[in-house]
Amino acid sequence: MGKLLIVGTVAFDAIETPFGKTDKILGGAATFIGLAASQFDVDAAIVSVVGEDFPKEYLDLLEKRNIDISALEVVKGGKTFFWKGKYHNDLNSRDTLVTELNVLADFNPIVPDGFKDSDVVMLGNLHPNIQMGVINQMEKRPKLIILDTMNFWMDHTLPELTEVIKKIDVLTINDEEARQLTGEYSLVKAAQKIFEMGPDYVVIKKGEHGALLFHEEQVFFAPALPLEDVFDPTGAGDTFAGGFSGYLAASEDVTFENLKKAVIHGSNLASFSVEKFGTERMLDLERDEINIRLHQFKALTQFEIELQ
Amino acid sequence: MGKLLIVGTVAFDAIETPFGKTDKILGGAATFIGLAASQFDVDAAIVSVVGEDFPKEYLDLLEKRNIDISALEVVKGGKTFFWKGKYHNDLNSRDTLVTELNVLADFNPIVPDGFKDSDVVMLGNLHPNIQMGVINQMEKRPKLIILDTMNFWMDHTLPELTEVIKKIDVLTINDEEARQLTGEYSLVKAAQKIFEMGPDYVVIKKGEHGALLFHEEQVFFAPALPLEDVFDPTGAGDTFAGGFSGYLAASEDVTFENLKKAVIHGSNLASFSVEKFGTERMLDLERDEINIRLHQFKALTQFEIELQ
């Protein structure tokens, strides 16, 4: 059982999809990452910040899953980060209606002493300076540092983002962001350029079209499981990151062969996350359901072929 | 070695991509299907029509690959079907600049006697009445009838298309067309609706995002090989259909397990087709290259996973 340090937002989300809408519910990258990672035998901690308005029951939910929240700062009198968004009919695009940074604006992450020797560090989507601040607090070099980011940081803080990308092992971004970051349309070429920036591994997330893992000259592809209904894509990418990093921390094996398995575990958990609003599906998810769907992933992609 | 009957256009294409443009070159669905299918040990014939302007060297190209062209009618004084198109920068969409039906306008397909007992019939994208006319000429029910179509026929000849779809085993269409045909956004639901229309199998082509094969409650997915450069997508779907149908005719096995392999062979050949203009890459393709890339397909998708 390895140690996993998770850094990211813990937040309120309000979501509208073609199938319904929610009031403020539990959200945030670190929340989704933590819930997914807790499916594995891992010693996980979340570094994040919330306001005094954050319900104790949400904190309890995380603790009940053995996630260390001693470094989840609760700011007295502060308000929790809030995001409100509305998905378009195809669920592939969305409009952000409200972003209130609140306590996130002054977030200064403190890595707990017991996690300064973490095996895997999962840096959720945040300002690159915060991500760098966490790396700098580590007492020994983690086996694997994984960083998730998005186009917003490429638009506004590219020099800072470039600095932190130099320090990491795995970059996870979506296809459009990979193209924006590198100026290459071909994802194969984009991955090669990202290798030159620092990371040894690149995961390119393509949403309903699956995810690609690049390493040196090798490529591995995990499809998204074809689903009858996708209800709410919020948190799917973070759930992927949680399954990916949680599996790697639990297995303490950061070879390419094992990263392939981690991509499958991440895709598998993400396929559940989209079935209900927010974290709802991840909270009632059973081990048996996970295993059945892993079998479906195998059936979906495995074949025997003889050469001509 | 089974018999494969191919019906579709043999044509001139003029293509413009961000990387260059061509004058009139060899094109047409049946051409791409035939070239791909001829990579397998199959007894293939093309039923089609060209004008007197069609170069003998193009006919020789097909014959040299052991494709029976006795039912490829050459209309005296007629002009060959011509399509001209221009791809946008991302290569995912294109504008049709010219469509001259010419001899195709009065095409009346005649199935050669030696192919009225074909094992597999591959109906390339054409007016559904022509596709139906070919089915009606078969003396015994083929093991597998595969039909490719496109949105144009859904827009203009939906009743005729619906009739022919009742008679077939495999429908191959792209994702947007599957949604248009069924009114279902979810491809899983779209496939279920298509089953109700007649076919036992549905192949949904997603271009650079791969292809899905549906059968009853089962799904199989073949990714597109991530390529450094895509030069010209023209004919990729037809090359897929040619590899798919050619492999099935050669192996004379139409089980789901074997259709999975056929999807891989089709995807593999399509990955070459896009590397040069028109049929150019398919004409210089060597067996060794095909086998190397089949290994890459395996490496791309195969994994071992233990349950939790």
Side-chain angles (χ1 to χ4, degrees):
Chain A
M1 181 165 77
K3 282 187 194 174
L4 171 65
L5 181 67
I6 299 164
V7 187
T9 54
V10 173
F12 290 128
D13 286 346
I15 303 161
E16 186 172 343
T17 80
F19 312 111
K21 58 193 292 185
T22 71
D23 289 327
K24 284 187 178 184
I25 58 173
L26 175 62
T31 307
F32 283 102
I33 293 169
L35 291 177
S38 70
Q39 292 291 345
F40 303 92
D41 192 17
V42 66
D43 193 5
I46 287 179
V47 176
S48 191
V49 65
V50 292
E52 210 175 341
D53 56 348
F54 197 73
K56 184 168 180 308
E57 58 170 292
Y58 287 169
L59 295 175
D60 292 344
L61 275 180
L62 297 171
E63 273 205 304
K64 244 181 59 188
R65 282 170 172 71
N66 290 319
I67 300 169
D68 182 320
I69 55 167
S70 61
L72 206 175
E73 185 189 353
V74 181
V75 177
K76 282 249 168 85
K79 285 185 70 183
T80 300
F81 172 54
F82 173 52
W83 176 82
K84 182 174 182 176
K86 181 178 174 171
Y87 287 87
H88 301 159
N89 276 337
D90 67 358
L91 293 177
N92 280 326
S93 54
R94 67 185 186 191
D95 295 324
T96 290
L97 304 178
V98 178
T99 307
E100 293 174 7
L101 282 184
N102 297 330
V103 292
L104 201 63
D106 301 310
F107 177 39
N108 181 26
I110 308 291
V111 177
D113 284 340
F115 282 86
K116 288 184 174 167
D117 61 350
S118 290
D119 300 283
V120 176
V121 175
M122 178 69 233
L123 301 166
N125 174 42
L126 272 176
H127 193 298
N129 284 352
I130 295 179
Q131 295 175 318
M132 185 68 105
V134 169
I135 293 175
N136 288 338
Q137 290 174 56
M138 300 308 290
E139 276 174 1
K140 75 172 211 210
R141 178 64 167 82
K143 284 184 188 147
L144 208 68
I145 303 176
I146 307 162
L147 182 140
D148 191 43
T149 188
M150 66 182 295
N151 52 358
F152 180 85
W153 307 114
M154 296 173 198
D155 292 338
H156 297 100
T157 61
L158 187 58
E160 295 91 334
L161 180 62
T162 305
E163 281 308 303
V164 69
I165 286 177
K166 286 182 190 166
K167 305 281 189 188
I168 65 168
D169 303 297
V170 187
L171 180 66
T172 72
I173 45 176
N174 77 29
D175 42 1
E176 283 318 306
E177 290 157 356
R179 288 170 175 142
Q180 176 176 346
L181 185 62
T182 63
E184 291 287 349
Y185 186 80
S186 153
L187 299 179
V188 176
K189 287 185 178 172
Q192 298 297 334
K193 277 208 175 171
I194 293 169
F195 291 155
E196 289 167 19
M197 298 171 72
D200 285 334
Y201 297 93
V202 179
V203 175
I204 297 183
K205 299 174 287 182
K206 304 200 297 171
E208 62 167 322
H209 300 303
L212 287 160
L213 168 67
F214 292 91
H215 174 59
E216 295 172 353
E217 299 300 314
Q218 301 173 88
V219 199
F220 178 68
F221 178 78
L225 205 68
L227 296 173
E228 287 208 19
D229 292 296
V230 172
F231 193 77
D232 172 21
T234 309
D238 297 315
T239 301
F240 173 89
F244 180 77
S245 58
Y247 173 76
L248 289 171
S251 58
E252 298 182 70
D253 171 355
V254 297
T255 60
F256 179 64
E257 280 309 305
N258 207 47
L259 263 74
K260 286 162 61 172
K261 297 180 193 180
V263 168
I264 295 292
H265 281 291
S267 301
N268 191 41
L269 291 174
S271 78
F272 290 103
S273 177
V274 300
E275 291 182 336
K276 292 188 181 176
F277 270 125
T279 60
E280 197 181 339
R281 187 68 177 93
M282 296 309 289
L283 291 173
D284 69 17
L285 188 55
E286 304 275 350
R287 169 74 47 211
D288 278 0
E289 297 176 295
I290 295 174
N291 284 338
I292 288 169
R293 210 166 269 188
L294 281 174
H295 278 290
Q296 292 175 335
F297 261 96
K298 264 195 102 77
L300 181 65
T301 54
Q302 304 302 285
F303 62 88
E304 292 301 321
I305 209 149
E306 59 285 354
L307 301 180
Q308 300 292 308
Chain B
M1 178 164 79
K3 281 187 194 175
L4 172 66
L5 182 66
I6 300 164
V7 187
T9 53
V10 174
F12 290 129
D13 287 346
I15 303 160
E16 187 172 341
T17 78
F19 312 110
K21 58 194 291 186
T22 72
D23 290 325
K24 284 186 178 184
I25 58 172
L26 175 61
T31 307
F32 282 102
I33 293 169
L35 291 177
S38 70
Q39 292 291 346
F40 302 93
D41 193 17
V42 66
D43 193 5
I46 287 179
V47 176
S48 191
V49 64
V50 293
E52 211 176 338
D53 57 348
F54 197 72
K56 185 168 179 310
E57 58 169 294
Y58 286 169
L59 296 175
D60 292 345
L61 275 180
L62 297 172
E63 272 205 303
K64 245 180 59 190
R65 280 168 173 75
N66 291 319
I67 301 170
D68 183 321
I69 57 166
S70 60
L72 204 175
E73 186 189 354
V74 182
V75 177
K76 283 250 167 81
K79 285 184 73 184
T80 300
F81 173 55
F82 173 53
W83 175 82
K84 183 174 181 175
K86 181 177 174 172
Y87 288 85
H88 301 160
N89 277 339
D90 66 0
L91 293 177
N92 280 327
S93 55
R94 67 186 186 189
D95 294 324
T96 290
L97 304 177
V98 178
T99 307
E100 294 174 7
L101 283 183
N102 297 330
V103 294
L104 200 65
D106 301 312
F107 176 39
N108 182 25
I110 308 292
V111 177
D113 285 341
F115 282 87
K116 288 182 174 167
D117 61 350
S118 290
D119 300 282
V120 176
V121 175
M122 178 67 234
L123 301 166
N125 173 42
L126 271 176
H127 193 298
N129 286 350
I130 296 180
Q131 296 175 317
M132 186 68 104
V134 169
I135 293 176
N136 288 338
Q137 290 175 57
M138 301 308 290
E139 277 175 0
K140 73 171 214 213
R141 177 65 166 81
K143 284 184 189 148
L144 207 69
I145 303 176
I146 307 161
L147 183 140
D148 190 44
T149 190
M150 66 183 291
N151 52 358
F152 181 85
W153 308 113
M154 297 174 197
D155 292 337
H156 298 100
T157 63
L158 187 58
E160 296 91 333
L161 180 62
T162 305
E163 280 309 303
V164 69
I165 286 177
K166 286 182 190 167
K167 305 280 190 187
I168 65 168
D169 304 296
V170 187
L171 180 66
T172 71
I173 45 177
N174 75 31
D175 43 0
E176 284 317 305
E177 291 157 355
R179 288 170 174 144
Q180 178 176 346
L181 184 63
T182 63
E184 292 287 352
Y185 186 81
S186 153
L187 298 179
V188 176
K189 288 186 177 172
Q192 299 296 334
K193 278 210 173 170
I194 293 169
F195 291 155
E196 290 168 18
M197 299 173 72
D200 285 334
Y201 297 94
V202 179
V203 175
I204 297 183
K205 299 174 289 182
K206 304 200 296 170
E208 63 167 322
H209 300 303
L212 287 159
L213 168 67
F214 291 92
H215 174 57
E216 294 171 355
E217 301 299 315
Q218 300 174 88
V219 198
F220 178 68
F221 178 77
L225 205 68
L227 296 172
E228 286 210 17
D229 293 295
V230 172
F231 193 76
D232 171 21
T234 309
D238 297 314
T239 300
F240 173 89
F244 181 77
S245 58
Y247 173 76
L248 289 170
S251 58
E252 299 182 68
D253 172 355
V254 297
T255 59
F256 179 64
E257 280 308 304
N258 207 47
L259 263 75
K260 286 161 61 171
K261 297 179 191 179
V263 169
I264 295 291
H265 281 291
S267 301
N268 191 40
L269 291 174
S271 78
F272 290 103
S273 179
V274 300
E275 292 183 334
K276 291 188 182 176
F277 270 127
T279 60
E280 196 180 338
R281 187 69 178 91
M282 296 309 289
L283 291 173
D284 69 17
L285 188 56
E286 304 275 348
R287 169 72 49 211
D288 278 0
E289 297 176 295
I290 295 173
N291 284 337
I292 288 168
R293 210 166 271 189
L294 281 174
H295 278 292
Q296 291 175 334
F297 262 95
K298 264 194 102 77
L300 182 64
T301 55
Q302 305 302 287
F303 60 88
E304 292 300 322
I305 210 149
E306 59 285 353
L307 303 181
Q308 299 295 309

